[in-house]
Amino acid sequence: MSLHSKKTQKIPSQEMPQRLAQARGDGELDLLITNVHLLDVITGETYPTCIAVGGQYIVGVGLEYQDQKAARIFDAQGAFVTPGFIDGHLHIESSMMSPFEFEKATLPLGTTTAICDPHEITNVLGGKGFSWFLRSSELMHQNLFVQMSSCVQALPGFETTGSDFPLEEMKSFKDHPSVLGLAEMMNFPGVIYADKDVHAKIEAFDDLNMDGHAPLLRGKPLNAYLLAGIQNCHETVTLEEGREKLQKGMGLIIREGSVAKNLKTLAPLVNDFSSPQCLLCTDDRNPFEIAHEGHINYLIKELINKHGVAVHVAYRLATYSAAKHFGLKRLGLVAPGKKADLVFLKDLKQVDIQDVMIGGQFVSELHLEKSLQEKLQASQPPLENTMKRAPLTEKDLTVNLLPGVYNVIEIVPHEIITQHLTLKFDGQKFEKEDVLFMANIERYGKGLPPALGLVKGLGLKQGALASSVAHDSHNIMVIGTNAKDMTVAVNTLIEKGGGFVVVDQGKVQALVELPIAGLLSLQSAEEIKDGIATLKKAFRSLGVTLDEPFIQMAFLALPVIPTLKLTDRGLVDVTKFSFIPLEA
C-alpha cells in the first residue's frame, strides 16, 4: 500500500481500470472466496455469497461471481464472514508492546484497524516519540491510525513531563496519511471556558475528527464541550450519562479495558436504532488479558452472550459504526470498493475466528513474527534512557504522620475515577484499614522532591509496588507499607530505565523492564505476558486484592479524572483543579 493511500484507502487511478474489469466479470480475479456466509451489518441478514477480490480490495460480492476465473480460489467451507474489527480508541503503550508486537498479537484476533493516541510516549519524548509511531504505521499491515496528541501535558502546571508538544510541531504532522484528527481532549475545562491555547488546537484541527474525554460531564458543561466541536467520548461511566451524550449527538465509544470496564453499564443503551452512534474501544489493555480473553473480539462476544445485544448489532459496533464515525470510507463493510479486511468465523455468537484477511492477504500467511525485529529496527525506536533521577534514600519517602485528619485517595475497583476520603489518624492507625503510603517522583532531571500521599484500596499487606507508567506524564509512582521497600522499588526502576516492580523485605520479587520511554518493552507479547504472570503471583502473595494494580496505580496520577489524584507536584483535587495539602 502506498503511503498516500494509508489514510484514504483510495484505489490508485492506474489500478482502477483493472478493478472495474474484474467487477464487471471481464477480468481474472486475484482471489475468489466461495462457500461463505456473509453477516450483513447493515441489514442484519446472513446469507450465502461469494467475495471477489482484486489486489487489496473487494471488487464484487454475490453468487454471480462463483464461476468467474480467478488466480486463486478459497473455499471458506461454510464459514461466516464479517468486516475486520476496528478499535475506536487505544493507547498501544498501555499494552507495553511495540506497535509491531501489538499487530502480531491483535491482528489474528480480527483487529484489522486501530485508532491510537500515542500521548503516553509523547509526554515523555515529545515529537520524537510521536513520529516513531508514524514511522511504525507506515511499516505495518494493520491499519494503524495515529490521532494527534492534544494534551501534552494533560493539565498544564499540575505535573512535570519529559517534553512538550507545541501546536506548531503538531501541525507539522497534520498531513501525514496516518493522522485522522485530534486525540482525546482531556482538558475539558479548557474547552468549556475558552482557554486560548486549547482552542488554538481545536481550530487548527477543526477540519478533522476531534476526540473527547469527559467523564461524568453532563448538562450545560457537556453542551459547551460539544459546541466546541468535540465528537465522541470513551470515558462514560454511568448509564444516564451515556444516554445524555447519545441524545446530544455525541459518539459513544464503549470501553472495556484491563481496568476501566464500562461494557456492562452501557450495553443497555445499544439497540438497532442507536448502534450507528456507538462503537467499541479497549483504551488500555495489556498482553495478559489480550492473550487470555482477547481484544475487540472479546468485547463483541461479551455484548452478545452476557448483555443480550443482537449479533448483527454487536458486529456493527465493531465495524461499520466505527468506520462511519471516523470517515474511513473504504473500511467497515464487506462490499464492493471496500478494502478486503475480513474476519472468517466458525461461530458468530462465540466469535470463533477461523482466519483473518488484511488487504486481500490472509494473516496466517503473512508470517508476522519473521519480520518483527526487522520492522522494529527499520522504525528506529527511541531507546534513550529517560530515567534522569538520582537514587533516593529512605528519608525521601518517609511520611511523618502526626495525629490528625488526612486526605486519602480511595481506589475504585475496575474504574479509573477515585474517591476523596478524609480519615482520622490517632498516631498509630487510621480509622479505616488498608491505608498505605504512596509517592509520585519526578523523573526528568528537574530535581523536585517526591510528592507524598496516602491511598486506600490496594490490599497490600507488606512490601511495595512501583511503576514508571503513571498517566500521563509518567513519573515514578510507588505504593508501599514502608519506606525501605518503596525506596528499593523506585531505585530499581531508575537503574533499569523503567518498568513494573514488586519488592518485599528489601528484595525484588518480580520485575518487568520497559526500556522504551519507561513505557514499552522490546520483548515479545508472550514474554511480556509471562512477566505479568510473575508480577501477579508476587503481588498477590503480598495481599493485593486488585486484578490489575499497576494499571490502576497508573491512573492515580492523572489530574483530569475525578476525584483526588497525586502528581509529582502534589495532591490534586480534580473537582476544583487545585492542589491541597496531605493533612485535611
Side-chain angles (χ1 to χ4, degrees), residues 7 146-149 178-183 205 208-211:
K7 181 191 293 186
V146 185
Q147 299 289 67
M148 189 65 60
S149 301
S178 295
V179 173
L180 289 182
L182 195 65
F205 289 87
L208 301 179
N209 292 91
M210 289 199 288
D211 291 346

Side-chain angles (χ1 to χ4, degrees), residues 9 24 29 63 101 119 217 223 274 285 291 382 506:
Q9 310 288 338
R24 295 192 307 265
L29 300 171
L63 292 174
E101 192 64 32
H119 72 198
L217 196 66
N223 292 337
S274 68
R285 197 162 179 83

Side-chain angles (χ1 to χ4, degrees), residues 130-336:
F130 187 88
S131 60
W132 175 52
F133 266 70
L134 293 180
R135 291 194 301 274
S136 298
S137 73
E138 297 167 16
L139 298 169
M140 296 169 67
H141 294 280
Q142 193 173 48
N143 305 306
L144 180 66
F145 294 106
V146 185
Q147 299 289 67
M148 189 65 60
S149 301
S150 69
C151 293
V152 180
Q153 307 161 336
L155 194 62
F158 283 79
E159 52 190 340
T160 305
T161 59
S163 186
D164 58 5
F165 196 42
L167 179 56
E168 288 308 308
E169 188 171 16
M170 292 170 62
K171 288 161 70 173
S172 72
F173 295 117
K174 182 180 178 181
D175 293 330
H176 189 282
S178 295
V179 173
L180 289 182
L182 195 65
E184 52 182 328
M185 181 51 76
M186 294 185 290
N187 187 359
F188 59 84
V191 176
I192 295 167
Y193 292 100
D195 178 270
K196 182 180 178 181
D197 292 337
V198 169
H199 277 266
K201 294 177 183 179
I202 290 175
E203 184 175 350
F205 289 87
D206 188 61
D207 57 326
L208 301 179
N209 292 91
M210 289 199 288
D211 291 346
H213 179 288
L216 304 177
L217 196 66
R218 301 189 63 185
K220 290 180 179 178
L222 176 60
N223 292 337
Y225 194 58
L226 289 165
L227 176 67
I230 305 301
Q231 294 170 266
N232 60 53
C233 183
H234 64 276
E235 290 286 349
T236 305
V237 177
T238 72
L239 181 69
E240 289 308 312
E241 175 194 357
R243 191 186 312 279
E244 182 178 352
K245 286 175 176 175
L246 281 175
Q247 289 170 343
K248 291 179 175 176
M250 199 174 210
L252 186 67
I253 306 184
I254 302 174
R255 170 181 59 190
E256 191 78 357
S258 288
V259 167
K261 300 179 185 292
N262 310 121
L263 207 63
K264 179 180 179 181
T265 299
L266 301 178
L269 294 172
V270 177
N271 55 47
D272 219 336
F273 198 86
S274 68
S275 59
Q277 198 70 0
C278 301
L279 47 155
L280 303 176
C281 84
T282 60
D283 199 4
D284 299 285
R285 197 162 179 83
N286 69 43
F288 188 87
E289 288 202 339
I290 292 172
H292 287 86
E293 292 181 346
H295 200 243
I296 294 296
N297 60 318
Y298 171 73
L299 277 65
I300 299 170
K301 184 178 179 179
E302 290 287 290
L303 282 173
I304 295 169
N305 296 291
K306 284 193 176 180
H307 306 301
V309 174
V311 171
H312 71 281
V313 172
Y315 281 93
R316 182 186 294 164
L317 264 61
T319 57
Y320 180 68
S321 295
K324 192 82 170 174
H325 182 83
F326 288 103
L328 300 172
K329 298 179 181 180
R330 296 284 181 177
L331 300 179
L333 288 175
V334 181

Side-chain angles (χ1 to χ4, degrees), residues 233-505:
C233 183
H234 64 276
E235 290 286 349
T236 305
V237 177
T238 72
L239 181 69
E240 289 308 312
E241 175 194 357
R243 191 186 312 279
E244 182 178 352
K245 286 175 176 175
L246 281 175
Q247 289 170 343
K248 291 179 175 176
M250 199 174 210
L252 186 67
I253 306 184
I254 302 174
R255 170 181 59 190
E256 191 78 357
S258 288
V259 167
K261 300 179 185 292
N262 310 121
L263 207 63
K264 179 180 179 181
T265 299
L266 301 178
L269 294 172
V270 177
N271 55 47
D272 219 336
F273 198 86
S274 68
S275 59
Q277 198 70 0
C278 301
L279 47 155
L280 303 176
C281 84
T282 60
D283 199 4
D284 299 285
R285 197 162 179 83
N286 69 43
F288 188 87
E289 288 202 339
I290 292 172
H292 287 86
E293 292 181 346
H295 200 243
I296 294 296
N297 60 318
Y298 171 73
L299 277 65
I300 299 170
K301 184 178 179 179
E302 290 287 290
L303 282 173
I304 295 169
N305 296 291
K306 284 193 176 180
H307 306 301
V309 174
V311 171
H312 71 281
V313 172
Y315 281 93
R316 182 186 294 164
L317 264 61
T319 57
Y320 180 68
S321 295
K324 192 82 170 174
H325 182 83
F326 288 103
L328 300 172
K329 298 179 181 180
R330 296 284 181 177
L331 300 179
L333 288 175
V334 181
K338 304 299 183 183
K339 191 161 171 275
D341 295 351
L342 308 172
V343 182
F344 297 88
L345 305 106
K346 297 177 183 178
D347 187 309
L348 286 173
K349 287 187 176 181
Q350 298 304 316
V351 199
D352 186 359
I353 296 175
Q354 180 175 301
D355 212 335
V356 177
M357 178 175 282
I358 181 83
Q361 294 180 282
F362 287 102
V363 171
S364 57
E365 299 173 358
L366 290 177
H367 305 294
L368 293 173
E369 67 284 347
K370 292 185 178 180
S371 60
L372 187 64
Q373 289 304 317
E374 180 181 328
K375 286 183 177 179
L376 185 61
Q377 185 176 0
S379 70
Q380 300 176 334
L383 294 175
E384 64 192 72
N385 190 340
T386 59
M387 292 290 172
K388 300 174 182 177
R389 181 86 196 196
L392 302 185
T393 66
E394 289 183 35
K395 183 179 178 180
D396 294 323
L397 296 178
T398 299
V399 183
N400 294 309
L401 296 179
L402 299 174
V405 179
Y406 290 86
N407 290 304
V408 178
I409 299 173
E410 183 178 34
I411 296 171
V412 180
H414 306 304
E415 296 288 354
I416 59 178
I417 60 173
T418 61
Q419 298 295 335
H420 181 175
L421 304 180
T422 53
L423 299 179
K424 291 182 181 179
F425 180 68
D426 64 9
Q428 297 295 324
K429 65 182 187 303
F430 280 91
E431 60 182 293
K432 292 187 177 181
E433 296 181 350
D434 190 28
V435 177
L436 300 166
F437 301 114
M438 68 184 302
N440 191 321
I441 301 109
E442 178 272 315
R443 64 150 157 138
Y444 299 113
K446 308 297 183 183
L448 298 180
L452 305 177
L454 298 163
V455 63
K456 172 178 167 51
L458 191 67
L460 187 70
K461 302 298 184 186
Q462 61 190 68
L465 278 63
S467 169
S468 59
V469 179
H471 301 305
D472 279 322
S473 294
H474 301 293
N475 291 294
I476 303 172
M477 180 69 79
V478 61
I479 296 176
T481 60
N482 64 88
K484 178 182 177 181
D485 286 337
M486 292 169 70
T487 304
V488 172
V490 171
N491 289 343
T492 298
L493 295 187
I494 292 172
E495 177 188 350
K496 298 296 185 180
F500 299 140
V501 65
V502 179
V503 171
D504 185 36
Q505 298 181 20

